[in-house]
Structure formats: C-alpha cells, structure tokens
Amino acid sequence: MEDRVELNRNLAQMLKGGVIMDVTTPEQAKIAQNAGACAVMALERIPADIRAAGGVSRMSDPLMIKEIQNAVTIPVMAKVRIGHITEARILEAIEIDYIDESEVLSPADDVYHIDKTKYSVPFVCGAKDLGEALRRIVEGASMIRTKGEPGTGDVVQAVRHMRAIMAEIRRLTSMSKDELYNAAKLMQVPYNLVVNVAQNGKLPVVNFAAGGVATPADAALMMELGAEGVFVGSGIFKSGNPEQRAAAIVKAVTNYKDYNILANVSEGLGEAMVGINENEIQLIMSERGK
Amino acid sequence: MIGILALQGAFIEHKYILDNLSVESFEIRKLSDLNKKMSGVILPGGESTTIGKLLLDLNMFIPLQDKIKNGLPSFGTCAGAILLAKYVEDGTPSLATMDIKIKRNAYGRQLGSFFTKDKFDDEIIPMSFIRAPLITEVVAGNILATVNDDIVAVKQNNQLVTTFHPELKTDFVHKYFLNTIVQR
C-alpha cells in the first residue's frame, strides 16, 4: 500500500503544467485531447448546467464514463459526492485514473469525507485554505485543487483560495516549533504533516487551481499565484469556440510568464462563457465539505 | 548545460536531480529557448499528446527534431520515450528520431501503475512505472534494462529512453546519460 500512495502522488506529478478539462461526451473528450488536455474529467453535466438544473447531482453513469475512457489515451477522472464511499468503489471498479471527491456534486455525507487511504485509485479533493488541504491529505487525497466557485466563470474564489493556501504555507516556513504545534492544533491536522510543509515550503502533493477559470489569462493568473496546473470546467464547452479556447488555455499554462504568447493566444477567441458573479449565486458549492 | 523540455509534466524533478549532481540546466518552454547552447536535452514524463501538440503549436517541433537528428544527446522518460519513438502502436509518432516501437498505456490505467527494482547497466535501481508505455520492438539500438522480459530502457547512439521514471527516485540513469552520451 505504501507504494500505491506514492504511485498515486506520482501520477499527479505527471499532470503538472497541464490543463484538465471537463467533458460530457466522447466527442468532447477527443476535442480536449486534441487541444492538449493532460487529462479529462468525465461528467454528465458541467458545473454551470448543474447550477442551472438544481436538484441533487450525483456520480455520472459508468457507461458514459467508460465511453470516454475508450475515446482517449490521456487519464480520465470522474467525480463522486463528498462522503459517498460506494460511488468511489464503483469508479474504482471501472478503473478510473483519478476520483474527484467533489463539492460540485451534492454531498452524500455532511460530516465525513471518504477514507481515501482504503482505495487503490487516487483521489483529488478541493480546498479553500491550508487546513482543508491538509485534512484531505491526511484522509488520503494524493492531489489537491482549489475549490473556487465552479460553474460561474468567475475566478475570484479560486484566486482567494490559492492565495490563502500559499500565504499560509509561507507563514508556516517562518514559524518556531511551538508555533507549529499551535498551527497543527488550529488546523486540526497532525504535527508531523505541518512540519513537513514548513520544511519544504509546499504541500506534499500536487496542487492545482480549479473553479471559475474561463480565459487563458485566468489560467495564467492561477499559475502565477502558485498553481501547478489548472482544471477548466464550464469555461471551455460553454464558450463560443471550445477547440480554440481549450488550445489557448493549454498554451497559456505552459507559458504563463510570456506575455507576448499570452496576448497572442488570447486574440479572437470569441465569446467567453457568460459567467455569473459570485454575489448573484444562491448555491455556494465551496462551502460544502470542510 | 542541459535543456529540460518544460512544456508539461514532471520536468522540475529532472532539474532537482541535475541540481544535486551540480549540473546546470534550463527550462525549454518556447522556440527561443531552443537557441540557447546546450550539451543535452531531457524530454520528461507527462502526457505525450499534450507535449507533442505544444511542440507543434509553439513551432518547436522541427528545430528540436533537427537538433536530435544532428546528434544532440537526448534522454526521454516515459512520455519522452513516446515522443522519440519512430513507431507508435495505435498512434501517430511525434519526433520519430529513434528506431523503436512503443505502445502507450501498455500496463493499463492508473491501477496498473507499479514500482519495482531491477537491473540497469548492472546496477539494481528503483523504477516507478506510471501509466507506462512499453517498448515492443527495438529496430536498432541497445537494450539497457528489462523487467520480466519487458524492454524498459534503450540507447541508440545519442538517444536514451526509459519507460519508467528514474527522476522520481534515483540519479543513476541521469549519471549514465551524462557520462556515456553527453560527455562522450
């Protein structure tokens, strides 16, 4: 099992510097792969539509996920509800490459997250701050992403979460031992994990940005703030020209500090997803699962 | 000075290994980076379709291919090996500079990823296989390592590939690359 934990963290390392795209059909998965996605997230409805449809949203149909697995060679991820032990076992049974225990779906358990150490497949989980990130890692997550506010096209919450995580890590690196004890207490995580983060100045797993990324500039911004890669959900297939926008975001993540390339790829992309302001939404998904 | 292709994937891990060996390196992210003087290039692990697509989109494909064909010492791990292979089963070759045939995701999905220790150039080293490809045929070149009869490392003149990820656990293969290919 020790090997498994490391191999699962290693797969996330291979995804770094890349863009993981939400797709709902095999055709979209192929478009994403051809545009340079390093992985796809297979789901029945992208977050913007989940938001619009309301009601309870659940794990996708395994058949639909399998069709996407067969359509591409890149890794395929899929979402389960927070705390839904069985949905996760089902995705493991169809050999999903990564499970996203996601606040985008309706939580199945309002107290417990899944004990992810019991699974062979890797998990990615969302976090708003360092405490959440470390609690998920203790539970067995082998990759972290910001929660952001999915399906809005508004990047402000992803920025807020990434800034919070990075600032808290920087703060840990300058703390004395007694201060680290207190930090561990406040974040409700083991002292050794806090020491590990303080010594390395980074999380022990890969950290991506997610939630509200809609443009190449948004993606580059998240990299600038310390993301090691980017999830793009509704931003691509809710826009005017998905293929071109997807490829542009991929290039923006690779060359996030080259502003000539960023200017170039941002040209003539057509309509971005319309987006809703965080103040206009009823449902705050990032408040699910702490 | 070693150039590390840094379009996508686990490139920083190679830099850490080279740093520890006191070997200077730089990241190759765009066309102008390819003009910098380098004595070797590393093609890291990641997604080969992503890296291949970015090589084309950023107009780096032909210049890099030319350099490798003209003898630039080149070391590809996992996705890097797929990029260098001349033949890709059920897929389109990318740089196609090395006379090997390769099969993507040959051990299945992430559940098929595994860790083992085996012999590389007479030394037992740790080997991490992450959704690894398999070299199914070596048309020209020398096999440097096998795991249960699977070919996992090949050298052909200036090019070295492994289907595993030495950059995660050991500097042995990097030292081999530096000593036998770069400083030849």
Side-chain angles (χ1 to χ4, degrees), chain A residues 3-4 6-8 10-11 13-18 33-38 69-70 73-76 92 94-97 120-122 247 250-251 253-256 258 261, chain B residues 6-13 16 29-30 33 45-47 49-50 53-54 57-58 78 90 104-105 108-116 128-131 165 167-169:
Chain A
D3 280 352
R4 224 41 254 173
E6 200 166 339
L7 290 165
N8 286 342
N10 290 157
L11 176 58
Q13 286 174 266
M14 300 306 144
L15 301 174
K16 280 185 303 180
Q33 176 169 278
N34 292 338
C38 68
Q69 285 177 316
N70 292 331
T73 57
I74 56 179
V76 177
E92 184 174 54
I94 62 168
E95 296 195 18
I96 201 78
D97 290 304
S120 295
V121 285
V250 170
K251 267 180 281 190
V253 167
T254 298
N255 281 294
Y256 66 95
D258 187 311
I261 291 180
Chain B
L7 299 180
Q8 189 271 325
F11 45 85
I12 200 84
E13 287 77 356
Y16 293 152
R29 286 178 185 266
K30 54 191 174 196
D33 295 331
E47 280 306 315
T49 50
T50 305
K53 156 90 174 156
L54 282 165
D57 282 3
L58 297 166
C78 195
D90 305 320
R104 272 202 184 96
N105 304 338
R109 305 182 192 283
Q110 174 62 5
L111 283 175
S113 294
F114 64 100
F115 173 78
T116 187
S128 306
F129 292 83
I130 314 291
R131 283 172 46 94
H165 291 277
E167 74 279 10
L168 296 174
K169 289 256 183 200

Side-chain angles (χ1 to χ4, degrees), chain B residues 128-142:
Chain B
S128 306
F129 292 83
I130 314 291
R131 283 172 46 94
L134 171 65
I135 298 164
T136 52
E137 199 181 329
V138 179
V139 181
N142 306 319

Side-chain angles (χ1 to χ4, degrees), chain A residues 4 13 28 30-31 58 86 120 146 153 157 167 192 232 272:
Chain A
R4 224 41 254 173
Q13 286 174 266
Q28 286 186 354
K30 280 184 197 152
I31 290 172
R58 311 176 175 89
T86 308
S120 295
T146 60
Q157 301 224 31
N192 289 344
V232 185

